[in-house]
Amino acid sequence: MPIASRTWQCLTRQALPPHVRQLQWHRPKPRHNFGSYQLRFQSTTSTSTIPSTASRDVRSLFTRLKNLFLGTTIGFSLILGYYYVTDTRASIHEWLVIPCLRHFYPDAEDAHDFGNRALKALYSFGFHPRERGYNDAKGDLAVEVFGHTLQNPIGTSGGIDKHCDIPDALLAAGAAIVEIGGVTAEPQHGNEKPRVWRIPSQNALVNRYGLNSEGADHVAMRLRQRVREFAYHMGFGINEEAEQRVLDGEAGVPPGSLQEGKLVAVQVAKNKWTSESDIEATKRDYVYCVDSLAKYADIVVVNVSSPNTPGLRGLQKTEPLTDILTAVVGAARKVKRKTPPAVMVKISPDEDGEDDVRGICDAVWDSGVDGLIVGNTTKRRPDPVPSGYILSQQEQRLLLEQGGYSGPQTFGRTVALVKRYRKILDDRSYSVPRDMESSPSSAPSVKEAETPTFSTIGTAVQAPEVTQPPTTDKEIEETVKRDAQHLKPDTPEADAESKNQSLFRIPE
């Protein structure tokens, strides 16, 4: 047989170990004009292609350690990122979230709506911003309001959560008082859009929402559902009886906020089409809101000062305001609950004449309202800050829009107005005859708070209770003991700590 047409083995298959290659000759397919031969190695195992057992173990161990390191790093990064992003003090909210909202939502109302929807969704999954830790362990920020000791004197104003979408999310963010609303008796759309504008250089807003509301019944349904879910988690059940147990205080928390050391206020207002000259119809709007919402609130806020509802501020005159507040107080006292909610009235900062202020104080005193909120947004346009700052043409144009202005520039005037109301109410409390002390319609029934509570756009002032100074030795001793509990020890350490604290000066 010709050599070119045969394949021969150098050694027999039986003579070779399994791991030794077999050498064969073969003739490949010709690629040139002449024949050529090449060697082909054929084997089922190879020491050059299969790593040794030790090498394979080392590589496997290295891969496992690498995966463990990467997995641990990713896990810790996610945990730390979660704690950072969900902390209200994280700078990412100010320097990333807010600029992104302003970029993607040039209209302020669209940004507001998206922010509320996002916060509601995040809260449902537990990813909402919250105040972590307890930075006021010594209780320096604690303040007593309507018999409740609040964690701090900070509150959110009405308008942030108009329809009771995110009360718990706002409470979790750290505010001690959250105001829902304004809520009208029947649903109304408010004014035409656009109706909210930003003044970025002043950290201010101009709005003319016009009390857009889903109506008292709709908001009451959400508040009722919130209370019943809380009752279910407390083990009371989810029916009407369980709801009533929570409202009567059996859960040990305020029936509005459902959290210790915090309160929820519900702001009520009349509908736009209800004429302010028809006092009886106006009273019916307010009373209907109170009947529907008051039992789910710790505080009922009567709004008679919105600058965006025609004729509403006319209700701040003494006679109509007294009639309205008296009707609201009477309805609140009839709420089916062991402890009725407090009643406050939100007034305008623009009615600051002496006669206006005294007339409002007379209405507050005669109706038995528990306190004032000073004040709502203003129709005035304060000078820009810092002094001499020139606004851009766009911001100057936005300032001409009709609506209420809110921003830090109003703080000084608001505090000054609060002092005036505080002084008049205090003077009135000490001038009331002794035989009128027991009359519930002659004096508010809440304790005096020496420190007013500040909200985002104003200040809440509690009307003082008519009391007489202690006369007996026992009363004096009890008063001294009570005051001593609130005093810090006079030690060098306490004095040094006090000097190191930052100061916040309230304008004179």
Side-chain angles (χ1 to χ4, degrees):
M1 181 180 296
I3 297 178
S5 63
R6 59 181 298 195
T7 299
W8 55 278
Q9 292 185 204
C10 296
L11 297 173
T12 63
R13 186 183 302 272
Q14 292 79 3
L16 294 175
H19 63 277
V20 178
R21 299 177 179 181
Q22 299 176 3
L23 181 62
Q24 294 180 339
W25 286 96
H26 73 97
R27 181 175 180 175
K29 295 181 180 179
R31 289 176 295 178
H32 305 286
N33 295 331
F34 54 86
S36 63
Y37 293 87
Q38 68 180 17
L39 290 173
R40 184 179 69 179
F41 295 92
Q42 185 179 19
S43 174
T44 57
T45 59
S46 173
T47 57
S48 62
T49 59
I50 300 179
S52 65
T53 304
S55 176
R56 187 167 58 248
D57 292 342
V58 170
R59 292 186 180 181
S60 177
L61 177 62
F62 176 76
T63 301
R64 292 178 181 178
L65 291 176
K66 182 178 69 175
N67 293 340
L68 177 63
F69 175 77
L70 290 176
T72 304
T73 302
I74 294 174
F76 272 107
S77 299
L78 291 175
I79 293 174
L80 293 177
Y82 166 78
Y83 276 95
Y84 174 75
V85 172
T86 58
D87 192 334
T88 55
R89 295 177 176 83
S91 58
I92 189 175
H93 302 301
E94 179 180 1
W95 300 108
L96 180 61
V97 176
I98 299 302
C100 287
L101 278 175
R102 291 178 176 175
H103 176 76
F104 291 109
Y105 294 94
D107 184 85
E109 183 174 357
D110 292 341
H112 182 191
D113 293 340
F114 174 80
N116 281 13
R117 292 195 306 269
L119 196 56
K120 183 177 181 179
L122 290 173
Y123 185 83
S124 65
F125 290 102
F127 289 100
H128 58 287
R130 69 205 70 185
E131 188 178 33
R132 297 196 178 278
Y134 188 65
N135 297 320
D136 187 30
K138 297 182 179 180
D140 293 333
L141 296 178
V143 59
E144 185 177 345
V145 176
F146 301 133
H148 299 275
T149 301
L150 304 186
Q151 297 175 1
N152 58 68
I154 306 300
T156 65
S157 174
I160 297 178
D161 186 15
K162 286 179 170 291
H163 314 304
C164 190
D165 292 318
I166 51 172
D168 294 309
L170 293 177
L171 288 171
I177 298 180
V178 168
E179 185 176 343
I180 298 170
V183 184
T184 55
E186 297 181 22
Q188 65 180 27
H189 296 293
N191 295 322
E192 296 295 328
K193 298 181 180 181
R195 50 193 180 186
V196 187
W197 299 270
R198 306 184 184 101
I199 314 294
S201 68
Q202 304 298 299
N203 290 325
L205 286 174
V206 175
N207 91 84
R208 58 166 180 260
Y209 272 114
L211 289 171
N212 54 310
S213 173
E214 295 180 353
D217 292 337
H218 193 88
V219 175
M221 178 184 65
R222 290 182 175 175
L223 288 169
R224 179 170 59 251
Q225 180 67 19
R226 177 173 172 265
V227 171
R228 293 198 178 189
E229 289 179 356
F230 178 82
Y232 178 78
H233 290 300
M234 291 294 295
F236 295 159
I238 201 169
N239 54 15
E240 185 176 355
E241 181 181 354
E243 171 191 331
Q244 191 62 43
R245 292 180 63 183
V246 174
L247 297 179
D248 287 338
E250 293 188 28
V253 293
S257 67
L258 305 178
Q259 296 184 30
E260 186 178 359
K262 298 188 177 185
L263 300 175
V264 162
V266 177
Q267 180 191 130
V268 298
K270 78 175 187 70
N271 281 108
K272 186 176 182 178
W273 52 79
T274 302
S275 175
E276 69 278 2
S277 60
D278 189 348
I279 298 300
E280 292 302 319
T282 301
K283 288 163 58 176
R284 283 196 297 269
D285 276 6
Y286 283 105
V287 170
Y288 183 85
C289 291
V290 173
D291 291 340
S292 303
L293 302 166
K295 65 179 180 180
Y296 303 113
D298 302 308
I299 303 171
V300 174
V301 179
V302 182
N303 184 355
V304 291
S305 56
S306 171
N308 304 310
T309 301
L312 186 63
R313 289 192 170 184
L315 299 177
Q316 294 179 113
K317 296 180 180 179
T318 305
E319 185 176 351
L321 183 58
T322 303
D323 290 343
I324 293 171
L325 295 182
T326 301
V328 170
V329 170
R333 297 296 182 262
K334 296 177 182 178
V335 168
K336 187 180 177 182
R337 210 173 74 181
K338 285 187 176 180
T339 304
V343 178
M344 304 185 74
V345 56
K346 177 174 285 189
I347 60 175
S348 165
D350 297 332
E351 277 67 33
D352 55 357
E354 188 65 23
D355 293 338
D356 296 328
V357 172
R358 290 193 175 276
I360 292 174
C361 288
D362 289 341
V364 167
W365 192 268
D366 295 337
S367 63
V369 165
D370 300 305
L372 296 169
I373 295 180
V374 185
N376 213 318
T377 55
T378 176
K379 290 184 177 180
R380 301 175 183 176
R381 298 297 183 260
D383 295 331
V385 292
S387 179
Y389 180 85
I390 299 177
L391 299 175
S392 65
Q393 292 184 355
Q394 181 182 6
E395 291 185 337
Q396 292 180 17
R397 178 180 60 82
L398 295 179
L399 280 177
L400 298 178
E401 292 286 352
Q402 182 181 358
Y405 180 95
S406 57
Q409 298 83 358
T410 63
F411 180 76
R413 286 187 62 249
T414 301
V415 173
L417 190 58
V418 167
K419 290 182 177 180
R420 293 175 61 188
Y421 277 105
R422 177 81 271 176
K423 183 178 186 306
I424 293 174
L425 289 173
D426 284 345
D427 292 344
R428 179 72 178 269
S429 68
Y430 296 118
S431 63
V432 174
R434 186 179 182 87
D435 56 0
M436 294 180 62
E437 291 181 21
S438 59
S439 175
S441 61
S442 63
S445 59
V446 294
K447 296 182 178 180
E448 180 177 2
E450 296 180 357
T451 305
T453 32
F454 291 90
S455 70
T456 53
I457 62 170
T459 308
V461 181
Q462 287 181 248
E465 181 184 10
V466 181
T467 56
Q468 294 294 326
T471 55
T472 65
D473 293 340
K474 183 178 180 180
E475 291 178 345
I476 295 176
E477 184 178 354
E478 291 178 351
T479 303
V480 172
K481 289 182 179 179
R482 183 190 61 198
D483 293 340
Q485 293 177 355
H486 299 283
L487 296 176
K488 292 184 177 181
D490 187 11
T491 62
E493 293 79 7
D495 184 63
E497 180 183 0
S498 177
K499 291 181 179 180
N500 292 331
Q501 292 180 353
S502 59
L503 298 178
F504 183 82
R505 183 179 180 183
I506 297 178
E508 297 294 335

